[in-house]
Amino acid sequence: MAASDEGARGRSGSTRRQFLLGGAAAGFGAVAALGAEHVLDRPGAAAQDAPVPVHGTETVPFHGVHQAGITTDAQAYATFVALDLHDDVDREALGRLMRILSDDAARLTQGEAALADTEPELAVAPARLTVTFGFGPRFVERARGAAPSWLHPLPAFEIDRLEPGFSDGDLLLQVTADDQLTVSHATRMLLKDARGFADVRWTQRGFRRAHGSVAPGTTMRNLFGQVDGTANPVPGTADFDEVVWVTEGWMAGGTSAVVRRIHMDLDEWDTVGRAGREQSVGRTQATGAPLTGTREHDEPDFAARTDAGFSVIPEFSHLRRARGVDEGRHDRIFRRGYNYDDAPSGDHVSDAGLIFACFQADVDEQFTPMQRRLAELDLLNRWTTPIGSSVFAIPPGCEPGGFVGDTLLS
Amino acid sequence: MTTRRTTTTLALLLAAGSLGLAGCSTDDAAAEATSTGTPTTAADAVSIQDAWVKAADEGMTAGFGEITNGGEDELTIVAASTGAAAMIELHETAADSSGEMSMTEVEGGFVVPAGDTLILEPGGHHLMLMDLADPIQAGDEVTFTLTFADDSTTELTATVKDFTGAEESYEGDDPDGDHDTEHEDS
Ligand code: HEM
Ligand SMILES: [Cu+2]
C-alpha cells in the first residue's frame, strides 16, 4: 500500500455502524428513523412538533420470485444503463459479475452501504430503490444458455431513426428510486463493480412526478400532458401474470424488457389544438378518459360513431392502433416508462421524450405486432420518433444466498 | 405494492451485512461453549461481517471487514492465513513521524476490546496479503483463517471487489510514481 498523503481520516474508535446510529440519534434524524406513522402513534408527541414525514427509509425487498422494479409502483426517478461485455468475459466471469452486482443491489436497496462503498453515507435513504437486471443476446450467448426465441433486436420500423448510442447492449441495469441522489449513488456503485467486466454503452435518465406530489396510484403524465399508462395490466392480478411472466426454463419468473427512447417534438405538439391532440390518442388530455367516456378507466367504445358517421375513437388513433381493435386483436404489454428532458439545442426550446420501457412474456408475440401496427398508422407518429431501441431478457429474482442470473449461470 | 417501511434505523442496521459472511467457529471447545452460553474462546466470541478483499492480479493486496468481539474478554488476532496468498501480515496505516501515511505491521496483533468492533478498512487496519498464488478476481470468494491469542481459530469468507479508493495502491501504481518502498514486490 503506498504511503498516502491523504492525512488522518478521523476514524479512530468510530465504526461505520456507530456513525449511522449517531446520525440517527441526533435531532431530525431520529424522527426520520422512527418513521412517520410510528411517531403519529403517539398523539401527544405528534401534536407538539409535527414531524415532516420522511419516506427515504422505505424499502422494497430485493429477493423474491421476480426481480423488483417491475411490479413495484413506479418510483420517481430512473437510470437505465446498458453495458457492453469485455471480449474476455466468459460464463465463469459472468457468474462472478452477477454475484457482485446482486450483493450490491441486495444491500443498497435495503439502505445498507455496499461492500467497499466509499460513500456509505449516501446509502442511508434507499427511498424504495430497486435494481433490475436484464441480459442482452450476447450475455446469454456468453453464458452458453438457451436464448429465448424473442431475444434479438426488434425488426427495423419505418418510423425508426435509431442511434447506436441509445440502442442494444449486453447487460441492462434499471435503477429506480424516489430519490435521485440514491439512484446516482447506486448506479455508480454498480458501475464501479462492473468496470472490470464491461463498459457503459449508454445511459438514459428519466423521471416521473416526485414522490408525494400526487396521490399514490395516480397514472403518470408524459410531457405531451397525456395521462399515460391507463390501460396497463394491474400487478397482482392473474391478468398481469399472464401478460408479463415467462413460465419456463431458466427464465421462469422472468420477463422481457423493451427499452425504446422516443423523442417527442414538444415544439410541434404546441401547435396542435386540444381536439387534434385528443383525436390522435383517442383519450382526453384532461382526465385520460376515452373519447367515448367521462372517467379515466371507462371502457372505450370503439363502435361509437359521430353524427357524421366517423368513429369517435378514430381509426388512426394511438389507442385503437396499439390495441389492434380493427385487426380483431387485443395485444397486451405492461408499460413502465419514464420521461426525459434534455438540454435543447438550436432554436428548439426542448429536447424531450419518453424512455418507453415495457415488460411482456414474449416480445415477438406481444410487442412487435403492436409496434408494427403503430409504425404503419398512428397519428402520434407525427410528433414522436424512436431514436433508441433494445431488448433484454429479465431473469427471475433470486433468493438470499443466490444471485440474479443464477438459474442461467449456475 | 411490495413496500415495507422500516420503523427504526436500528432494525435496518441489525439486518445489515449478513450475506453469508459471518465467521464460523472451527474450534471444538468453542462449539461446546456456545451450548452453555458462556464463550470460552476468542473464536467463539468473534463475529465477522462485510469481509472483502481488493482484487489484484499478482503481488500484494489487502483484506477488510468488521470484526466484532461479542465476548466479555478482550481478544487478539495474532495471525491470519489463506490459500490465496503465501503470507498475511496484520497491518495498520498511520502517519509516520514525517506526517506521511505508511503501513506498518501491528506488533502483537489486532486487539478487539470486549463488546467492540474493529473495522478493517482502506487507509486503516487491514490484512496484508503478500505473494498471491493466483490472480484474485472480482466476484471470487477468498477464505481466511484467523488465529487468536488463545490458539482458537475462525474461518471467514470474503468477497473480492475491484477497488481504487483511498489511495490503496500496493505496487507503485499511484499516479505520482511514488513507489511504495515498504512493500516492494518482486
Ligand atoms: C412517445 C411515444 C408514446 C406516447 C406519447 C404514448 C402515449 C400513450 C397514451 C397517452 C396512451 C393512452 C393511455 C394509456 O392507456 O396509457 C397510450 C396507450 C397505449 N400505448 Fe402508447 N405511447 C407512446 C408509444 C407507445 C409505443 C411505442 C407502444 C408500443 C409499441 C405503445 C403502446 C401503447 C399501448 C399498448 C397502449 C394501451 C392501449 C389500450 O388501451 O389497449 N405506446 N399511449
Ligand atoms: Cu499493508
Side-chain angles (χ1 to χ4, degrees), chain B residues 40-115:
Chain B
T40 54
T41 70
D44 188 56
V46 80
S47 64
I48 293 146
Q49 288 200 313
D50 295 354
W52 64 280
V53 176
K54 183 186 162 167
D57 283 342
E58 54 177 6
M60 287 181 291
T61 191
F64 311 99
E66 303 189 1
I67 302 176
T68 298
N69 180 357
E72 274 153 30
D73 303 306
E74 176 178 286
L75 65 78
T76 306
I77 298 166
V78 294
S81 63
T82 173
M87 177 166 68
I88 294 183
E89 288 182 358
L90 308 179
H91 278 192
E92 67 175 335
T93 308
D96 62 20
S97 50
S98 65
E100 291 271 289
M101 298 300 288
S102 68
M103 302 192 316
T104 47
E105 195 165 356
V106 177
E107 293 289 325
F110 291 160
V111 177
V112 191

Side-chain angles (χ1 to χ4, degrees), chain A residues 1-9 11 13-18 20-21 24 29 32-38 53-61 63 71-73 92-93 95-97 99-100 103-104 106-107 110-118 124 126 128 189 192-197 400-401, chain B residues 1-10 12-19 21 49-52 60 62 64 66 68 93 95 99-103 116-119 121-126 128 137-141 159-172 174 176 178-180 182-183:
Chain A
M1 194 179 298
S4 157
D5 59 3
E6 192 189 25
R9 288 183 48 204
R11 40 161 286 281
S14 83
T15 67
R16 178 179 304 159
R17 199 155 284 136
Q18 282 159 355
L20 292 174
L21 281 172
L34 287 169
E37 70 269 284
H38 189 111
V54 167
H55 50 78
T57 51
E58 287 179 36
T59 58
V60 177
H63 297 107
T71 60
T72 311
D73 198 14
E92 181 271 337
R96 286 189 283 112
L97 171 64
R99 207 171 285 126
I100 288 211
D103 183 51
D104 286 344
R107 290 167 187 268
Q110 304 311 302
E112 303 155 20
L115 286 183
D117 195 337
T118 46
V124 297
R128 297 199 305 131
M189 193 68 231
K192 286 201 285 188
D193 279 331
R195 180 157 53 188
F197 302 83
Chain B
M1 191 169 81
T2 47
T3 300
R4 84 185 145 85
R5 183 189 286 271
T6 52
T7 47
T8 68
T9 297
L10 183 63
L12 215 116
L13 291 168
L14 290 177
S18 45
L19 273 152
L21 299 169
Q49 288 200 313
D50 295 354
W52 64 280
M60 287 181 291
F64 311 99
E66 303 189 1
T68 298
T93 308
E100 291 271 289
M101 298 300 288
S102 68
M103 302 192 316
D116 220 342
T117 298
L118 173 70
I119 310 277
E121 61 183 344
H125 288 74
H126 56 274
M128 194 82 219
Q137 294 179 289
D140 278 341
E141 301 209 313
T159 303
V160 180
K161 299 206 80 173
D162 282 325
F163 188 71
T164 55
E167 303 194 12
E168 286 290 301
S169 60
Y170 311 114
E171 293 163 68
D174 56 301
D176 314 338
D178 262 350
H179 283 236
D180 173 21
E182 209 142 10
H183 296 299

